[in-house]
Short mmCIF file of all heavy atoms in Angstrom, two decimals:
data_model
loop_
_atom_site.label_atom_id
_atom_site.label_comp_id
_atom_site.label_asym_id
_atom_site.label_seq_id
_atom_site.Cartn_x
_atom_site.Cartn_y
_atom_site.Cartn_z
N ALA R 40 -8.05 -4.41 -5.56
CA ALA R 40 -7.08 -3.84 -4.61
C ALA R 40 -5.90 -3.17 -5.29
O ALA R 40 -5.15 -2.47 -4.67
CB ALA R 40 -6.63 -4.89 -3.61
N ARG R 41 -5.73 -3.45 -6.61
CA ARG R 41 -4.62 -2.82 -7.32
C ARG R 41 -4.87 -1.34 -7.65
O ARG R 41 -3.98 -0.65 -8.06
CB ARG R 41 -4.30 -3.61 -8.61
CG ARG R 41 -3.75 -5.00 -8.39
CD ARG R 41 -3.39 -5.70 -9.65
NE ARG R 41 -2.85 -7.03 -9.35
CZ ARG R 41 -1.57 -7.26 -9.08
NH1 ARG R 41 -0.71 -6.27 -8.98
NH2 ARG R 41 -1.17 -8.47 -8.84
N ASP R 42 -6.12 -0.93 -7.46
CA ASP R 42 -6.44 0.48 -7.62
C ASP R 42 -5.67 1.30 -6.63
O ASP R 42 -5.81 1.12 -5.39
CB ASP R 42 -7.98 0.67 -7.41
CG ASP R 42 -8.40 2.11 -7.65
OD1 ASP R 42 -7.58 3.04 -7.64
OD2 ASP R 42 -9.64 2.29 -7.78
N PRO R 43 -4.75 2.19 -7.03
CA PRO R 43 -3.93 2.93 -6.07
C PRO R 43 -4.73 3.88 -5.16
O PRO R 43 -4.18 4.31 -4.13
CB PRO R 43 -3.00 3.76 -6.98
CG PRO R 43 -3.72 3.82 -8.29
CD PRO R 43 -4.47 2.54 -8.42
N GLU R 44 -6.02 4.13 -5.46
CA GLU R 44 -6.83 5.00 -4.62
C GLU R 44 -7.47 4.24 -3.48
O GLU R 44 -8.04 4.89 -2.57
CB GLU R 44 -7.88 5.70 -5.48
CG GLU R 44 -7.31 6.68 -6.49
CD GLU R 44 -8.41 7.45 -7.22
OE1 GLU R 44 -9.58 7.18 -6.97
OE2 GLU R 44 -8.06 8.27 -8.09
N VAL R 45 -7.44 2.91 -3.53
CA VAL R 45 -8.00 2.12 -2.38
C VAL R 45 -7.24 2.35 -1.13
O VAL R 45 -6.03 2.10 -1.11
CB VAL R 45 -8.13 0.64 -2.79
CG1 VAL R 45 -8.44 -0.22 -1.53
CG2 VAL R 45 -9.10 0.41 -3.86
N ALA R 46 -7.90 2.85 -0.11
CA ALA R 46 -7.24 3.16 1.13
C ALA R 46 -7.35 2.08 2.24
O ALA R 46 -6.64 2.03 3.21
CB ALA R 46 -7.75 4.47 1.73
N LEU R 47 -8.39 1.17 2.02
CA LEU R 47 -8.63 0.11 3.01
C LEU R 47 -9.49 -0.95 2.34
O LEU R 47 -10.32 -0.66 1.47
CB LEU R 47 -9.36 0.71 4.22
CG LEU R 47 -9.60 -0.28 5.37
CD1 LEU R 47 -9.39 0.43 6.74
CD2 LEU R 47 -11.05 -0.82 5.35
N VAL R 48 -9.28 -2.22 2.78
CA VAL R 48 -10.02 -3.36 2.25
C VAL R 48 -10.75 -4.07 3.34
O VAL R 48 -10.15 -4.39 4.45
CB VAL R 48 -9.10 -4.36 1.50
CG1 VAL R 48 -9.88 -5.56 0.99
CG2 VAL R 48 -8.35 -3.70 0.37
N VAL R 49 -12.08 -4.32 3.14
CA VAL R 49 -12.88 -5.17 4.06
C VAL R 49 -13.12 -6.46 3.28
O VAL R 49 -13.69 -6.45 2.20
CB VAL R 49 -14.22 -4.51 4.40
CG1 VAL R 49 -15.05 -5.43 5.30
CG2 VAL R 49 -13.97 -3.15 5.11
N LEU R 50 -12.68 -7.59 3.85
CA LEU R 50 -12.57 -8.81 3.06
C LEU R 50 -13.12 -10.03 3.85
O LEU R 50 -12.64 -10.31 4.95
CB LEU R 50 -11.07 -9.06 2.74
CG LEU R 50 -10.65 -10.24 1.91
CD1 LEU R 50 -11.29 -10.15 0.50
CD2 LEU R 50 -9.12 -10.27 1.79
N ASP R 51 -14.08 -10.70 3.25
CA ASP R 51 -14.62 -11.90 3.89
C ASP R 51 -13.66 -13.07 3.71
O ASP R 51 -12.95 -13.10 2.74
CB ASP R 51 -16.02 -12.27 3.22
CG ASP R 51 -16.68 -13.43 3.88
OD1 ASP R 51 -16.56 -13.53 5.12
OD2 ASP R 51 -17.32 -14.20 3.18
N VAL R 52 -13.65 -13.96 4.69
CA VAL R 52 -12.75 -15.12 4.62
C VAL R 52 -13.29 -16.22 3.73
O VAL R 52 -12.59 -16.71 2.80
CB VAL R 52 -12.46 -15.67 6.02
CG1 VAL R 52 -11.68 -17.02 5.94
CG2 VAL R 52 -11.68 -14.66 6.86
N MET R 53 -14.53 -16.60 3.91
CA MET R 53 -15.07 -17.72 3.18
C MET R 53 -15.80 -17.21 1.91
O MET R 53 -16.89 -16.63 1.99
CB MET R 53 -16.09 -18.49 4.02
CG MET R 53 -15.48 -19.10 5.27
SD MET R 53 -14.10 -20.26 4.91
CE MET R 53 -14.99 -21.53 4.10
#
Side-chain angles (χ1 to χ4, degrees):
R41 293 185 180 276
D42 182 343
E44 294 184 359
V45 169
L47 183 141
V48 178
V49 179
L50 183 63
D51 185 35
V52 171
M53 300 300 294

